[in-house]
């Protein structure tokens, strides 16, 4: 996201992106300085280099990268920009790390409104600053009409991890508790309700949020008793626990009645033939926690605004098949498997 300030002024209110804004010339410099630098402004971007140098803290570094292609770009509770920041920060903090810096790369379709791009960039700046994170470098490309569906964003996040801390699925043990930080399926249903707003008269807001503060209080309460944390995004709770089961060599036994799902989300999922435990989340986490610290961690989660609906939903069990089993509300049981296809496309 380099480029000097050429003192050009964008018509942010009425203008649109054209191919010249990705050409490397004056128009591109004006876009970067007049829109992105305004939204993300910090000492690193102000130097206008092709990269950013930053201090490396003691301990180990954590890095993650992700791409965002959500449709629609704006949805109840956020947009592609805030989602990209929250999602990348959450991937860093699931390691127990403190997030520090982000990069952001934009692929913009010719004809995209500056006003929409400005709103998205501003939301990214707000989300990053809210987590104490700086967007310090990036890139901008413009493609022809019809080649990018408006806007795609790729991000990379970097954080620092305390010495000796190693959260990993292979550390899960028989008897560990499965904790979730709140109601499931909100993000996926919010996206679907926006796409189908003529048919679905529901008001569901995405749960998109940065979980850095919630994770910090959990780590204080549980310490090394927290084995692994994951954010159940695409594929939802089901995919996350199946992934951990295969990595740990264990199974999981869950109680359906303990899994928090908002009534409006449950009703919408029933209408659409979806299962909430397969639906994406963007502001929730799953933690596998040693039984002796589970109550303390759960209490800490419930005391935090982003964990007020947290719940203990089951336990890790010995299982050579590595199945995730669900005791249903009707007194029966079923296997919770991976999805065999794409349930809700373009949700992040």
């Amino acid at each position: 996201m380099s480029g000097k300030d050429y003192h050009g002024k964008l018509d942010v209110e009425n203008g649109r992106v054209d191919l010249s804004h990705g050409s490397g010339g004056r128009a591109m410099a004006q876009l970067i300085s007049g829109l992105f630098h305004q939204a993300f402004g910090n000492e690193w971007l102000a130097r206008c280099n092709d990269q950013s140098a930053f201090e490396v803290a003691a301990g180990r570094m954590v890095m993650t990268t992700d791409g965002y292609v959500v449709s629609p770009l704006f949805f109840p509770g956020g947009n592609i920009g805030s989602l990209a920041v929250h999602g990348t920060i959450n991937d860093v903090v699931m390691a127990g790390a403190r997030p520090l810096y982000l990069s952001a790369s934009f692929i913009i379709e010719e004809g995209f409104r500056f006003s929409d791009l400005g709103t998205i960039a501003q939301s990214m700046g707000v989300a990053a600053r809210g987590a104490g994170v700086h967007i310090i470098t990036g890139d901008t490309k413009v493609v022809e009409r019809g080649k990018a569906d408006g806007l795609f964003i790729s991000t990379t996040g970097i954080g620092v991890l305390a010495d000796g801390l190693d959260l990993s699925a292979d550390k899960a043990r028989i008897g560990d508790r499965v904790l979730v930080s709140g109601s499931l399926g909100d993000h996926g249903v919010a996206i679907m309700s926006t796409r189908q707003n003529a048919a679905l008269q529901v008001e569901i807001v995405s749960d998109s949020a940065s979980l850095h503060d919630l994770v910090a209080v959990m780590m204080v309460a549980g310490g090394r008793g927290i084995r692994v944390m994951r954010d159940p995004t695409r594929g939802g709770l089901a995919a996350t626990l199946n992934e951990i089961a295969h990595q740990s060599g264990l199974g999981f036994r869950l109680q359906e009645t303990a899994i928090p799902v908002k009534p409006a989300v449950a009703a919408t999922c029933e209408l659409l033939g979806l299962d909430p435990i397969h639906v994406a989340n963007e502001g929730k986490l799953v933690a596998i926690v040693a039984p002796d610290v589970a109550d303390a961690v759960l209490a800490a989660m419930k005391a935090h605004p982003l964990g007020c609906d947290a719940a203990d939903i089951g336990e890790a069990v010995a299982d050579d098949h590595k199945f995730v089993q669900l005791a249903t509300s009707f007194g029966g049981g079923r296997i919770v498997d991976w999805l065999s296809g794409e349930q809700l496309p373009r949700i992040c």
Side-chain angles (χ1 to χ4, degrees), residues 289-306:
V289 179
D292 59 329
V293 301
D295 288 345
V297 174
L298 185 60
M301 295 168 75
K302 285 180 171 293
H304 191 280
L306 294 179

Side-chain angles (χ1 to χ4, degrees), residues 4-26:
K4 299 186 174 82
D5 184 358
Y6 288 89
H7 306 293
K9 187 168 182 179
L10 295 175
D11 183 1
V12 175
E13 201 171 314
N14 302 302
R16 293 176 181 267
V17 175
D18 61 42
L19 291 176
S20 70
H21 290 106
S23 68
R26 183 185 299 272

Side-chain angles (χ1 to χ4, degrees), residues 3-298:
K4 299 186 174 82
D5 184 358
Y6 288 89
H7 306 293
K9 187 168 182 179
L10 295 175
D11 183 1
V12 175
E13 201 171 314
N14 302 302
R16 293 176 181 267
V17 175
D18 61 42
L19 291 176
S20 70
H21 290 106
S23 68
R26 183 185 299 272
M28 183 173 176
Q30 291 171 348
L31 172 64
I32 292 169
S33 64
L35 194 149
F36 292 118
H37 282 198
Q38 293 293 321
F40 306 155
N42 55 62
E43 61 182 283
W44 293 273
L45 290 181
R47 294 173 185 150
C48 298
N49 294 320
D50 281 336
Q51 71 295 115
S52 288
F54 54 89
E55 296 297 323
V56 178
R60 290 173 296 148
M61 305 299 290
V62 172
M63 187 171 105
T64 186
T65 191
D66 211 339
Y68 295 86
V69 297
V70 63
S71 177
L73 299 177
F74 296 87
F75 48 83
N79 60 57
I80 189 174
S82 57
L83 177 66
V85 172
H86 291 153
T88 308
I89 288 173
N90 290 345
D91 282 346
V92 170
V93 301
M94 289 304 103
R98 178 167 62 92
L100 298 174
Y101 304 108
L102 295 177
S103 73
S105 175
F106 298 83
I107 299 177
I108 312 166
E109 184 179 4
E110 178 187 14
F112 197 73
R113 293 180 181 273
F114 283 138
S115 58
D116 287 343
L117 186 59
T119 298
I120 289 167
Q122 289 292 335
S123 75
M124 293 178 72
V126 170
R129 287 188 291 272
V133 172
H134 301 286
I135 301 172
I136 63 172
T137 190
D139 185 53
T140 304
K141 294 291 189 297
V142 179
V143 298
E144 296 89 344
R145 291 178 186 269
K147 297 295 179 64
D149 197 14
L151 177 68
F152 299 150
I153 301 176
S154 293
T155 49
T156 295
I158 290 177
V160 62
L161 186 64
D163 282 333
L165 184 61
D166 183 20
L167 305 188
S168 177
D170 61 9
K171 296 185 181 301
R173 298 292 181 264
I174 296 169
D176 283 352
R177 304 306 302 176
V178 180
L179 309 182
V180 295
S181 63
S183 58
L184 301 181
D186 294 6
H187 177 71
V189 170
I191 295 296
M192 184 55 66
S193 64
T194 303
R195 293 175 187 168
Q196 307 291 336
N197 58 359
L200 300 177
Q201 300 301 316
V202 295
E203 294 185 5
I204 303 296
V205 176
S206 170
D207 60 348
S208 180
S210 173
L211 299 173
H212 60 292
D213 278 343
L214 176 61
V215 168
V217 300
M218 290 173 62
M219 294 305 299
V220 170
R224 304 303 167 88
I226 298 177
R227 316 285 200 196
V228 60
M229 291 185 290
R230 296 281 171 84
D231 52 339
T233 53
R234 285 172 295 177
L237 176 68
T240 298
L241 288 181
N242 271 284
E243 189 176 272
I244 295 173
H246 279 74
Q247 292 170 333
S248 66
L250 301 176
F252 291 100
R253 186 174 295 125
L254 311 179
Q255 297 294 324
E256 185 176 42
T257 55
I259 298 174
V261 179
K262 292 176 181 173
V265 171
T268 303
C269 285
E270 185 174 1
L271 177 66
L272 296 174
L274 305 176
D275 188 334
I277 64 175
H278 287 290
V279 178
N281 313 271
E282 290 292 347
K284 301 297 189 306
L285 65 82
V286 179
I288 310 302
V289 179
D292 59 329
V293 301
D295 288 345
V297 174
L298 185 60

